[in-house]
């Protein structure tokens, strides 16, 4: 097991390096200086600014500094637009927010989706099953950026139950709509996947054996069927995580929650390369780490995987 | 003797028995599936709307109707009299024409994205799966690496760095869309590689790339087509997502995502049609593709039933 984890870690490091280098090259080749303004800037001032941010150094030196900064000090560099803040400040402001509704959405998607899928499979071809299938088909065509306006329309404008935006330090009224908007489509996918795999597991021989020796259905499901049925769900967690990170951009914009996504899009529109690069690298690193955890979890649960 | 002769004559007169190809079987199975046929019908209607909508619209998609401007909530309602069948947007532009134009963009992005994925992904996966061993390991590791990157951010990065354009959108979407396809094609190729007809081709001295082209890829087509149909909606969702953020196609061009975003922004002002019209087309098209995709899977992949 330990060698497996080490091997996976060794793969994760080059992935991160490729991500950093790729992002950096993209930014380096970007036309225009981040300091260029409409009126133009005197060459001497520009040279000074570039020297201050180290942009006058050769490419290799710049990228080396950037990587060393991230690895040794967790420093993602300065923002080129907000002169008094660096990327770490922005991330420090936005990340707790993103993390809060992100974790809730993830929990809701996995727990509700998994339960729904497994109940649907156990009660195959009953109203519960049809309901679950209906929900998951319906949610497929409602990605978060479509669901968010609909939710606001219904719960804020028509019913007036919940606020349509803001964060207020994460009070529960402000968290509910973002979590529903972000989690629904993933919940539906998880429900579909767990239903299909549970149905397959329930028809397999070892379940028939378990039932034949007289175990009650509850015990058969929890002790025997659940674990193998959840394997496909676990392998979906990685992509779901990536999707949720991406979706958080929509949530931040739509509900003005003030998470990282807001800074990302703002920096994209401002051409604030430092912030864009920092957020891309940070989220990429998170994704790689999460995939690592999922891989380890999978190997731990699935006895067929040799490591 | 006479009887046998009569039978022989009968047989000679009868139409020659026509073999049913696998494709004909699949077609029959597909058309028996009501949801899939309904989905196909919806898609044909949406495509017709995208193609002919701009021709029958009474307004151009970029012209502002000055008579409704300033009073969009009242004068810009959907009505038959002033020619704004779907109403106007917040700037007084005809929503029918804009939706038709947005439908063109969204469908095109979806189809181009799926095409890139079919061409690149199938070939990549087939090569990796056919050669196997170290080549396979390296090629699939590359796919793994690319998959674990939050590509939406990279795509936004691309759009910001190189400027927003249709071409950049296609490149960005094409860059990531083939990854899943490559994995699927590889998995299928691994099983095909050991089939007798491949062995026969190898024995008669056919080169590896000819085998991939002539024997592997045609056998992958069923799975590839199914997956491509399911990929079109996700490409449409990506594009809409980007447009929703305001980073997609440039005004006055539009797409479903941009229209939905515009409509959502005006939700408070009693002009709900601006949100509901593009949303309707978005939702029915995605449903259409999902049902057609499911129908194709049932039709082309009999072992999955």
């Amino acid at each position: 097991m330990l060698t497996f984890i080490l091997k996976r870690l060794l793969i994760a490091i080059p992935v991160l390096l490729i991500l950093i280098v790729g992002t950096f090259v993209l930014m380096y080749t970007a036309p225009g200086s981040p300091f260029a303004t409409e009126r133009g800037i005197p060459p001497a001032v520009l040279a000074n600014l570039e020297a201050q941010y180290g942009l006058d150094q050769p490419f290799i030196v710049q990228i080396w500094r950037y990587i060393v900064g991230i690895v040794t000090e967790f420093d993602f560099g300065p923002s080129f637009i907000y002169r008094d803040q660096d990327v770490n400040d922005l991330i420090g402001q936005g990340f707790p927010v993103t993390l809060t509704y992100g974790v809730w959405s993830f929990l809701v998607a996995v727990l509700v989706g998994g339960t729904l899928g497994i109940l649907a499979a156990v009660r195959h071809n009953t109203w519960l099953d049809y309901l679950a299938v209906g929900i998951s088909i319906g949610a497929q065509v409602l990605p978060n950026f479509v669901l968010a306006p609909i939710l606001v329309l219904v719960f804020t404008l028509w019913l007036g139950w919940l606020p349509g935006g803001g964060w207020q330090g994460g009070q529960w009224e402000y968290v509910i709509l973002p979590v529903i908007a972000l989690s629904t489509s993933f919940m539906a996918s998880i429900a579909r996947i767990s239903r299909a795999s549970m149905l397959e597991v329930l028809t397999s021989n070892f379940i028939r054996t378990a039932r034949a020796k007289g175990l009650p259905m509850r015990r058969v499901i929890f002790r025997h069927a659940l674990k193998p049925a959840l394997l496909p769900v676990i392998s979906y967690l990685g992509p779901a995580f990536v999707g949720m990170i991406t979706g958080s951009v929509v949530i931040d914009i739509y509900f003005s929650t003030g998470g990282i996504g807001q800074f990302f899009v703002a920096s994209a529109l401002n051409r604030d390369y430092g912030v864009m690069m920092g957020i891309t690298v940070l989220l990429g690193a998170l994704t790689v780490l999460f995939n690592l955890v999922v891989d380890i979890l999978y190997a731990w649960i699935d006895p067929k995987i040799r490591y | 003797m006479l009887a046998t002769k009569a039978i022989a004559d009968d047989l000679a007169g009868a139409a020659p028995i026509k073999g049913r190809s696998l494709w004909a079987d699949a077609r029959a199975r597909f058309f028996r599936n009501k949801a899939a046929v309904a989905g196909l019908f919806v898609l044909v209607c949406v495509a017709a709307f995208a193609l002919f909508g701009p021709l029958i619209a009474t307004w151009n998609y970029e012209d502002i109707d000055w008579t409704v401007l300033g009073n969009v909530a009242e004068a810009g309602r959907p009505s038959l009299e002033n020619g704004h069948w779907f109403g106007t947007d917040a700037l007084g532009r005809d929503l029918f024409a804009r939706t038709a134009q947005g439908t063109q963009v969204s469908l095109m992005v979806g189809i181009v994205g799926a095409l890139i994925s079919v061409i690149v992904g199938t070939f990549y996966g087939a090569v990796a799966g056919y050669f196997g061993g170290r080549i396979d390991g390296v090629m699939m590791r590359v796919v793994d690496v690319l998959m674990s990157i939050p590509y939406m951010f990279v795509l936004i990065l691309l759009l910001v760095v190189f400027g927003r354009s249709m071409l950049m959108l296609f490149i960005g979407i094409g860059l990531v869309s083939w990854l899943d396809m490559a994995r699927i094609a590889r998995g299928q190729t691994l099983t095909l590689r050991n089939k007798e007809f491949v062995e026969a081709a190898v024995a008669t001295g056919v080169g590896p790339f000819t085998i991939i082209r002539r024997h592997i890829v045609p056998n992958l087509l069923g799975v590839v087509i199914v997956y491509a149909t399911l990929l079109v909606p996700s490409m449409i969702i990506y594009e809409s997502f980007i447009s929703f953020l305001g980073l997609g196609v440039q005004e006055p061009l539009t797409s479903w995502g941009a229209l939905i975003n515009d409509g959502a922004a005006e939700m408070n002002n009693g002009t709900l049609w601006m949100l509901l019209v593009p949303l309707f087309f978005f939702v029915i098209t995605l449903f259409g593709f999902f049902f057609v995709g499911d129908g194709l899977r049932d039709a082309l992949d009999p072992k999955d039933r």
Side-chain angles (χ1 to χ4, degrees):
Chain A
M1 192 69 191
L2 200 65
T3 48
F4 175 79
I5 295 175
L6 280 178
K7 237 159 102 187
R8 284 281 146 168
L9 266 175
L10 281 181
I11 294 168
I13 290 166
V15 172
L16 281 177
L17 275 181
I18 290 172
L19 183 71
I20 296 175
V21 173
T23 318
F24 199 91
V25 169
L26 208 59
M27 289 299 171
Y28 189 82
T29 51
S33 152
F35 307 113
T37 55
E38 305 240 328
R39 280 190 291 159
I41 210 169
V45 177
L46 187 67
N48 263 336
L49 272 175
E50 292 199 332
Q52 189 197 334
Y53 288 106
L55 297 179
D56 54 343
Q57 303 288 327
F59 175 73
I60 294 294
V61 176
Q62 285 189 35
I63 197 167
W64 177 248
R65 283 185 182 171
Y66 191 67
I67 295 175
V68 168
I70 290 177
V71 173
T72 56
E73 297 171 47
F74 208 67
D75 175 14
F76 290 95
S79 157
F80 295 136
I81 303 286
Y82 307 106
R83 298 285 155 81
D84 51 344
Q85 284 185 308
D86 59 14
V87 180
N88 285 22
D89 291 339
L90 295 177
I91 290 175
Q93 274 176 41
F95 197 62
V97 176
T98 311
L99 199 66
T100 307
Y101 68 71
V103 168
W104 276 114
S105 304
F106 202 74
L107 286 177
V108 168
V110 172
L111 294 180
V112 178
T115 316
L116 203 63
I118 284 166
L119 276 180
V122 174
R123 301 260 178 277
H124 190 37
N125 284 336
T126 61
W127 64 269
L128 197 72
D129 188 19
Y130 298 135
L131 182 75
V133 173
I135 290 177
S136 60
I137 291 178
Q140 265 185 330
V141 297
L142 293 175
N144 42 39
F145 62 90
V146 172
L147 193 60
I150 297 178
L151 285 174
V152 171
L153 185 67
V154 174
F155 289 103
T156 307
L157 292 181
W158 289 352
L159 297 173
W161 288 353
L162 292 166
W167 187 244
Q168 306 293 330
Q171 288 169 33
W172 64 269
E173 307 100 300
Y174 293 88
V175 182
I176 291 181
L177 285 188
V179 167
I180 296 178
L182 188 56
S183 60
T184 300
S185 63
F186 301 101
M187 185 200 79
S189 300
I190 289 176
R192 211 176 51 243
I193 294 169
S194 57
R195 175 180 174 271
S197 75
M198 191 68 177
L199 278 179
E200 202 181 314
V201 169
L202 283 180
T203 55
S204 58
N205 290 334
F206 71 94
I207 294 296
R208 197 189 310 139
T209 311
R211 299 200 56 191
K213 70 182 183 189
L215 286 183
M217 200 57 199
R218 179 177 299 271
R219 205 175 157 78
V220 171
I221 288 163
F222 281 106
R223 281 294 292 275
H224 297 270
L226 203 56
K227 215 163 125 182
L230 284 182
L231 282 177
V233 176
I234 290 175
S235 58
Y236 175 72
L237 291 185
F241 183 79
V242 177
M244 284 206 182
I245 286 212
T246 321
S248 73
V249 177
V250 170
I251 301 299
D252 282 336
I253 302 250
Y254 204 84
F255 293 103
S256 325
T257 35
I260 293 192
Q262 211 157 331
F263 296 117
F264 184 74
V265 173
S267 63
L269 297 172
N270 284 336
R271 298 186 153 246
D272 191 350
Y273 295 149
V275 175
M276 287 190 78
M277 200 153 71
I279 293 179
T280 308
V281 169
L282 177 78
L283 295 183
L286 268 184
T287 314
V288 170
L289 279 180
F290 187 83
N291 278 326
L292 185 75
V293 173
V294 168
D295 273 357
I296 292 170
L297 197 66
Y298 198 93
W300 180 53
I301 289 190
D302 188 356
K304 274 184 286 186
I305 291 199
R306 304 231 180 279
Y307 38 81
Chain B
M1 195 61 197
L2 253 175
T4 26
K5 180 120 194 337
I7 292 171
D9 282 348
D10 263 7
L11 279 178
I17 297 166
K18 259 177 78 179
R20 286 193 304 176
S21 72
L22 284 172
W23 292 101
D25 266 357
R27 201 181 315 129
R29 273 200 295 269
F30 180 82
F31 281 108
R32 242 181 283 133
N33 184 338
K34 286 200 187 67
V37 174
L40 189 64
F41 178 72
V42 167
L43 290 185
V44 170
C45 291
V46 171
F49 172 69
L51 283 178
F52 303 115
L55 301 178
I56 57 169
T58 44
W59 292 85
N60 188 289
Y61 72 91
E62 50 183 345
D63 290 344
I64 293 172
D65 182 358
W66 299 100
T67 59
V68 305
L69 196 62
N71 190 18
V72 172
E74 288 301 319
R77 287 181 178 285
S79 84
L80 289 176
E81 286 142 37
N82 60 6
H84 298 302
W85 299 322
F86 291 170
T88 66
D89 71 358
L91 292 176
R93 293 175 294 193
D94 184 41
L95 201 57
F96 181 86
R98 287 186 72 70
T99 311
Q101 200 278 323
T103 307
Q104 282 180 1
V105 170
S106 289
L107 284 184
M108 197 154 78
V109 169
I111 290 167
V112 169
L115 270 183
I116 296 176
S117 115
V118 166
I119 295 167
V120 178
T122 312
F123 192 69
Y124 192 92
V127 168
Y130 183 76
F131 287 107
R134 189 162 293 160
I135 296 179
D136 180 35
V138 172
M139 285 175 88
M140 290 333 275
R141 182 76 23 219
V142 169
V143 170
D144 286 348
V145 167
L146 288 176
M147 270 192 144
S148 64
I149 290 172
Y151 45 80
M152 192 55 82
F153 290 84
V154 178
L155 176 52
I156 292 173
L157 225 63
L158 281 173
L159 286 168
V160 170
V161 170
F162 295 107
R164 288 157 56 185
S165 70
M166 213 57 162
L167 180 71
M168 212 53 231
L169 204 59
F170 284 145
I171 292 177
I173 284 179
L175 272 180
V176 293
S177 64
W178 58 276
L179 296 172
D180 275 316
M181 188 67 93
R183 277 192 175 171
I184 292 170
R186 169 183 173 266
Q188 291 286 313
T189 309
L190 284 181
T191 53
L192 283 174
R193 185 175 63 168
N194 299 324
K195 290 275 163 70
E196 289 83 353
F197 60 86
V198 174
E199 207 176 322
V202 174
T204 47
V206 183
F209 283 98
T210 316
I211 293 182
I212 289 173
R213 193 166 47 80
R214 291 285 297 278
H215 300 283
I216 304 279
V217 171
N219 279 299
L220 291 176
L221 272 187
V223 182
V224 166
I225 289 173
V226 170
Y227 189 70
T229 329
L230 295 173
L231 203 69
V232 176
S234 60
M235 293 294 120
I236 291 178
I237 291 179
Y238 289 152
E239 192 280 328
S240 299
F241 176 85
I242 303 251
S243 294
F244 184 87
L245 299 180
L247 291 165
V249 288
Q250 302 252 24
E251 288 278 332
L253 285 180
T254 188
S255 76
W256 284 334
L259 286 168
I260 291 173
N261 188 21
D262 292 349
E266 297 293 323
M267 213 159 52
N268 261 326
N269 305 336
T271 54
L272 267 189
W273 66 85
M274 292 179 200
L275 174 63
L276 295 183
V277 167
L279 200 59
F280 171 76
F281 280 94
F282 181 83
V283 167
I284 60 166
T285 307
L286 291 200
F287 264 130
F289 273 111
F290 283 130
F291 283 136
V292 168
D294 278 353
L296 280 175
R297 170 162 47 209
D298 292 347
L300 289 173
D301 201 2
K303 70 170 180 297
D304 233 28
R305 272 175 304 166

